[in-house]
Amino acid sequence: MQLPNSVPRADFPGGLNFIEKWWIKHREWLQECGYTLSRPRYQPDWTPSWKPGQFYLFFEDGLPMDRIMDATRSSDGLHVAIKRIQVNAASEEVEVYQRMLSEPISSDPRNRTAPLLDILEVPDGSGERLLVMPLLRPFANPEFETFGEAIAFFAQIFEAIQLMHEHYIAHRDCTFNNIMLDPSGMYPVPFHPVKIDRRRDWKGKLPHLTRTQCPPRYLLIDFGLSRAYPPKTVPYDLPIRGGDKTVPEHDNETEDCDQYAVDVYYLGNLVRERFISKYHGFGFMQPLVGDMVAVNPSRRPTMDDVVTRFKEIRESLSSWKLRSRLVRRKDWAIVGLYKSIGHWHRRLAYIATRKPAIPDA
């Protein structure tokens, strides 16, 4: 079954779209499998809560889902995300997922593969599968507050891709969209699956702990473009475009390129675009990142080299630097002053309670 490239329009503004109707059609079967579509929008008797003339996106039940649906696991109330995939296009995805979650890789402390809770075969003859995972958040939400928090993130993700390469697997799309944050412990109340800065019950602001108070794990998702290669071979393959379209060797779509070097570029460009360009003070990462995003892939370091060099950088940073606040390049001075007051209160509390400057999970 071919999924549409774009979601067809709903019957009325804010109404159920074509893909949402597919989920509702399979609602009872999902419940038999132990997963409930719990949002009001997906109940059989749903009627919109907004009135004519009101904008539907301001209402909880006006927020649509798509190929990834949220649900509640019946056995324990866990909020999960269910991804709909095609078997013919995703056979490698499932294989890589299962390999990353099997021994000896699964017990390696560097493993940052998002848990795969279930694989469901859709019983309609379409040849589709549903992958069930915990409900996660984008890696940069909430925002990083200190250099130490950023350093912890770099360490986890660098080592995660290093581990994949050690086992001859290239992610091939380890961009910002496919790196998530495990919110376990950070959020005392559940967050909404669409408006993630709102409570799930749509009542009031969403409280959360900081990354220093509750060190999170960062997890890799979406192995749809990933590939396992024969041991001890150079993973040359035709370019395949992931979420980051700036990879230099992808300009030539007919020439094989080193897929490990592409992963290195993705991570280097993520640090460059999401940290060095966004905040002041990341000059200490520029030499390494500059090499990681070299135009010539043969000049890029391997992930082993990246991890080794990064450890040296990490050890060179003082506690003062690591506890310092990240300052956005675009922040106004008055905004920075306001943020600094709150930061110093938290900083003194972290020191008093001996919270590590680098909050490793």
Side-chain angles (χ1 to χ4, degrees):
M1 176 178 178
Q2 180 67 41
L3 295 178
N5 293 324
S6 60
V7 179
R9 291 185 177 181
D11 298 329
F12 58 90
L16 298 168
N17 61 47
F18 176 81
I19 296 181
E20 288 181 298
K21 291 177 181 178
W22 183 94
W23 288 102
I24 291 177
K25 177 182 176 182
H26 294 83
R27 185 177 183 278
E28 290 187 6
W29 168 70
L30 281 169
Q31 195 150 359
E32 293 173 0
C33 295
Y35 303 99
T36 302
L37 303 185
S38 52
R39 288 183 58 204
R41 182 178 178 87
Y42 304 117
Q43 305 311 307
D45 57 351
W46 172 68
T47 56
S49 64
W50 60 92
K51 298 177 182 179
Q54 293 181 314
F55 188 39
Y56 62 90
L57 291 180
F58 291 161
F59 296 81
E60 193 285 327
D61 63 335
L63 301 172
M65 297 295 283
D66 203 308
R67 289 180 59 187
I68 298 179
M69 176 61 68
D70 82 285
T72 302
R73 189 163 65 181
S74 305
S75 62
D76 57 3
L78 179 70
H79 298 304
V80 300
I82 306 178
K83 179 182 179 182
R84 179 183 171 193
I85 62 174
Q86 300 172 53
V87 173
N88 60 344
S91 57
E92 194 89 3
E93 179 171 9
V94 174
E95 176 186 329
V96 169
Y97 236 130
Q98 292 176 328
R99 184 169 172 181
M100 292 300 299
L101 295 173
S102 300
E103 293 295 350
I105 308 178
S106 63
S107 60
D108 193 303
R110 296 171 295 170
N111 193 338
R112 290 293 182 266
T113 306
L116 184 58
L117 305 176
D118 214 342
I119 302 175
L120 306 177
E121 301 279 351
V122 180
D124 58 5
S126 63
E128 290 183 286
R129 292 179 183 175
L130 304 182
L131 305 184
V132 184
M133 295 168 282
L135 188 62
L136 305 172
R137 298 177 66 87
F139 79 87
N141 190 304
E143 286 196 10
F144 291 85
E145 292 191 353
T146 68
F147 285 94
E149 292 177 355
I151 290 296
F153 168 71
F154 300 158
Q156 288 191 36
I157 296 307
F158 288 168
E159 291 181 354
I161 298 300
Q162 177 195 38
L163 177 66
M164 292 187 71
H165 291 186
E166 283 182 7
H167 291 272
Y168 313 106
I169 302 171
H171 190 287
R172 306 209 298 175
D173 199 14
C174 47
T175 57
F176 70 95
N177 282 328
N178 293 328
I179 301 175
M180 307 297 285
L181 178 148
D182 179 357
S184 302
M186 286 186 69
Y187 288 83
V189 297
F191 59 89
H192 195 274
V194 182
K195 291 289 187 179
I196 63 173
D197 292 329
R198 295 286 298 270
R199 290 173 181 257
R200 189 179 183 88
D201 61 11
W202 213 245
K203 297 178 181 178
K205 295 182 179 180
L206 181 69
H208 66 83
L209 301 176
T210 68
R211 299 164 196 263
T212 300
Q213 291 170 319
C214 184
R217 285 170 52 85
Y218 300 98
L219 301 173
L220 295 169
I221 63 167
D222 197 347
F223 296 92
L225 300 183
S226 301
R227 180 163 296 178
Y229 293 91
K232 299 181 180 179
T233 61
V234 179
Y236 276 94
D237 221 329
L238 288 174
I240 183 165
R241 294 182 182 272
D244 184 345
K245 312 300 182 185
T246 65
V247 182
E249 52 265 45
H250 285 183
D251 291 339
N252 187 346
E253 297 181 351
T254 62
E255 184 175 339
D256 287 352
C257 57
D258 183 344
Q259 301 301 308
Y260 294 165
V262 172
D263 281 352
V264 171
Y265 178 92
Y266 280 146
L267 294 185
N269 200 41
L270 183 152
V271 175
R272 177 171 63 178
E273 296 297 324
R274 302 285 162 165
F275 292 90
I276 295 175
S277 298
K278 186 175 180 179
Y279 300 101
H280 293 286
F282 276 101
F284 60 87
M285 289 294 295
Q286 286 182 330
L288 174 58
V289 169
D291 289 345
M292 293 173 72
V293 298
V295 174
N296 185 340
S298 67
R299 294 184 178 275
R300 295 174 202 156
T302 66
M303 282 310 304
D304 285 342
D305 295 332
V306 170
V307 169
T308 297
R309 290 175 59 180
F310 177 71
K311 286 181 178 178
E312 295 173 354
I313 293 171
R314 175 175 172 165
E315 291 170 358
S316 72
L317 300 176
S318 67
S319 177
W320 180 271
K321 176 70 172 181
L322 293 170
R323 293 192 185 276
S324 296
R325 182 176 71 88
L326 296 187
V327 179
R328 282 174 170 265
R329 294 183 180 274
K330 295 183 179 181
D331 269 357
W332 291 359
I334 188 66
V335 174
L337 177 61
Y338 173 78
K339 290 182 177 179
S340 292
I341 295 172
H343 168 73
W344 271 102
H345 279 286
R346 289 189 296 273
R347 183 173 183 170
L348 293 174
Y350 297 156
I351 294 173
T353 55
R354 298 187 178 183
K355 295 289 186 184
I358 301 177
D360 289 328

